Amino acid sequence: MKPLKVLHLCHNHPALHPGGTEIFALDLHRQMNASGEVDGMFIGCVDQNHRSQRPGTVFQGIGPNSNEMLMWTGHFDNFYLSQIDLHGIVPELTDLLTEIKPDIVHFHHILLMGVEILFLVRRVLPKAKIVMSLHDYYSICAHDGQMITTQERRLCHHASPDACHRCFKQLEPEQFVLRERHIKTHFSVVDRFLAPSNFLRRRYIGWGLAADRIEVLRNARPEPEIVPHRTLKIGEKHGNFAYFGNLNPNKGVLILLEAARLLNQRHPNAFRVDIHGGAPFQSDAFKADLAAALARVEGIASWHGAYQPTEMANLMRHTDWMVTPSIWWENAPLVIDEAFAQTRPVITSDLGGMAESVSHEIDGLTFRPGDAAALADAMERALTEPDLWGKLVGGIRSHRTLEDCAAEHLAVYRALLAPPKPVAKLPTAALSKSKPIRGISKAERGVSHAG
């Protein structure tokens, strides 16, 4: 079978910003190409925060792979998710689309590139199918897609013009109406939406996307190096907790550090917390809060800074428990899959895609989101209940592979490209036996005989 030509578009490249969406999008591209069933290209968008603009072209190379490149899209309207400099981008992207003629154009985000690019693809490639992965809530929420209120930092259960105006008092409710209509108008050309969790799918259905347009396909990671559990000394407990991922206010790392402080009051120096991850593009206020929180648990918790995805397995050698304490509607954190691949039980917020991924007291523990005392209680159980760790390790199910994930995506692509099934016709014999259609009389038409 002839390989499909697939173009993956993402809002960045993990070499420049190692976020979950970027990592998964590139992994999927590489796995599909390695399968031999896809002849694909990956384009990551960048702005001045990652790369300087090069004169003469919007495209830039990155690394040794000729089928991976960057597109500089530094003029972007974050509110309307709109590309301001279409004149600078459209001609070159049009030339690229015309040259490679992909069968599938798969958008993993619309940040930096802009929703208008969807219409461009439809105009330039009328026969291609457009797929969009909904990795988060940027389209629904103008607060960086966090679905958290700007003032009280409470979870937002439903976006509306009035609710959004309360978060952004400088903007009129009508502007949020226009924002939603602008995005949905461009989304109308998408052939299939993909969601990594049922929770996120329900959120977008509630926002107004038709249920039959959104299919759930969970993300996955490449098969990791499996590292053994650490060997405990006589009398030692499974008391090594770890956090992996970027640090920001909504990821809950401050909640974890406060929980560590509370737990240390009950069980002094009986455990440790290792925090792995960078804090890119974070405010000075958050960095100050983080430093203060770390100072309060000095000797108990350590921040080790950013890491490469390839380093995670080695860092996991010293981990008994993974903690994912996010306070926002996480959709499907890859770190949970990575922890389960290493048979490490997970302690996570009972919220969103996290609660969907972790079964309480089966393969992990869940706790009330944003509640440091509740997290401390869960960590205390992990530390003090002698049989709990082994029970939860035994409850971890076999994880889904990236090969499985790529095959499922490929099946979606091929189904979209398949010709429509012909409408069944009645046999000629059946038609000859059918009754003739009776004419309609004037009386049945309501016409008088006199007329």
Side-chain angles (χ1 to χ4, degrees):
M1 188 178 295
K2 182 180 178 182
L4 290 183
K5 290 188 175 182
V6 179
L7 173 62
H8 291 273
L9 288 158
C10 193
H11 62 305
N12 214 305
H13 191 288
L16 303 176
H17 187 271
T21 297
E22 296 93 324
I23 291 171
F24 169 71
L26 186 60
D27 283 344
L28 181 65
H29 156 76
R30 289 177 174 175
Q31 177 59 42
M32 285 187 156
N33 276 18
S35 72
E37 296 189 68
V38 166
D39 177 12
M41 175 174 285
F42 179 92
I43 295 179
C45 297
V46 292
D47 62 10
Q48 58 276 4
N49 292 311
H50 314 100
R51 282 281 189 94
S52 299
Q53 187 175 14
R54 302 289 191 266
T57 180
V58 298
F59 293 114
Q60 302 179 21
I62 181 167
N65 297 326
S66 60
N67 58 18
E68 296 175 23
M69 60 196 311
L70 304 176
M71 182 168 67
W72 202 88
T73 54
H75 303 287
F76 180 73
D77 185 321
N78 282 284
F79 181 74
Y80 287 106
L81 303 184
S82 182
Q83 179 53 236
I84 298 170
D85 187 20
L86 287 172
H87 177 75
I89 293 174
V90 167
E92 289 192 68
L93 183 55
T94 298
D95 289 344
L96 180 70
L97 293 171
T98 304
E99 180 179 347
I100 65 176
K101 292 183 176 63
D103 303 298
I104 298 286
V105 180
H106 188 156
F107 288 84
H108 290 272
H109 222 299
I110 51 174
L111 278 181
L112 294 187
M113 63 191 81
V115 290
E116 297 84 1
I117 303 303
L118 294 167
F119 267 15
L120 173 67
V121 172
R122 176 56 68 235
R123 178 176 61 81
V124 177
L125 302 170
K127 294 183 180 180
K129 299 300 181 181
I130 300 175
V131 176
M132 175 176 284
S133 290
L134 302 168
H135 289 286
D136 52 37
Y137 315 99
Y138 264 92
S139 304
I140 301 175
C141 176
H143 185 204
D144 292 331
Q146 297 294 301
M147 298 293 290
I148 291 180
T149 60
T150 57
Q151 304 301 320
E152 303 90 353
R153 301 199 68 78
R154 290 183 291 103
L155 286 167
C156 176
H157 292 264
H158 179 70
S160 70
D162 290 323
C164 296
H165 171 65
R166 288 193 290 272
C167 278
F168 298 92
K169 297 186 183 301
Q170 74 277 19
L171 300 175
E172 296 299 324
E174 292 78 10
Q175 290 177 266
F176 294 98
V177 175
L178 291 174
R179 179 186 188 273
E180 181 178 333
R181 289 182 178 177
H182 173 69
I183 294 170
K184 286 182 175 177
T185 296
H186 289 85
F187 276 10
S188 67
V189 302
V190 175
D191 295 291
R192 183 60 50 87
F193 291 97
L194 303 178
S197 67
N198 286 295
F199 177 85
L200 187 138
R201 178 178 182 269
R202 291 194 297 269
R203 274 301 163 107
Y204 271 92
I205 292 171
W207 184 60
L209 291 186
D212 61 0
R213 299 182 67 200
I214 312 174
E215 186 169 342
V216 175
L217 283 186
R218 288 192 62 83
N219 298 338
R221 290 300 324 277
E223 199 70 22
E225 172 197 357
I226 304 300
V227 296
H229 299 129
R230 69 189 187 93
T231 302
L232 301 186
K233 300 176 183 177
I234 296 176
E236 188 180 7
K237 300 175 181 179
H238 289 103
N240 284 7
F241 303 90
Y243 170 98
F244 287 84
N246 287 326
L247 278 60
N248 65 51
N250 296 329
K251 290 290 189 179
V253 67
L254 298 180
I255 302 295
L256 172 57
L257 292 173
E258 175 60 13
R261 187 187 70 81
L262 295 173
L263 184 59
N264 195 47
Q265 292 176 346
R266 309 174 198 174
H267 304 277
N269 302 309
F271 66 96
R272 61 179 290 177
V273 176
D274 292 299
I275 297 173
H276 304 281
F281 313 116
Q282 296 307 306
S283 67
D284 291 338
F286 171 72
K287 292 177 181 178
D289 289 343
L290 179 61
L294 286 165
R296 288 192 288 270
V297 287
E298 186 176 1
I300 298 298
S302 301
W303 179 24
H304 303 281
Y307 64 94
Q308 294 297 318
T310 53
E311 299 177 293
M312 189 169 183
N314 189 52
L315 296 173
M316 198 81 74
R317 291 180 186 277
H318 310 290
T319 299
D320 299 324
W321 305 86
M322 171 84 82
V323 185
T324 309
S326 291
I327 61 174
W328 75 294
W329 310 105
E330 291 269 13
N331 58 82
L334 288 174
V335 292
I336 292 179
D337 292 331
E338 290 170 316
F340 284 159
Q342 298 289 352
T343 60
R344 266 61 173 184
V346 177
I347 302 175
T348 190
S349 305
D350 187 15
L351 184 69
M354 295 175 290
E356 190 175 314
S357 301
V358 178
S359 299
H360 182 60
E361 296 192 339
I362 300 296
D363 50 22
L365 300 174
T366 60
F367 66 94
R368 185 172 179 267
D371 188 336
L375 175 53
D377 290 343
M379 293 170 68
E380 184 174 30
R381 288 190 61 191
L383 182 65
T384 60
E385 293 186 20
D387 299 326
L388 183 61
W389 183 84
K391 171 191 170 184
L392 300 183
V393 167
I396 296 174
R397 302 171 297 277
S398 58
H399 65 284
R400 185 161 164 275
T401 67
L402 183 61
E403 289 83 353
D404 296 334
C405 181
E408 291 171 3
H409 279 77
L410 187 60
V412 170
Y413 297 166
R414 294 201 183 279
L416 288 173
L417 293 166
K421 294 181 180 179
V423 178
K425 295 182 179 180
L426 288 173
T428 305
L431 290 173
S432 65
K433 294 179 181 179
S434 62
K435 294 181 179 179
I437 299 175
R438 182 173 60 89
I440 302 175
S441 68
K442 288 185 177 181
E444 289 171 315
R445 295 200 306 265
V447 180
S448 67
H449 293 285

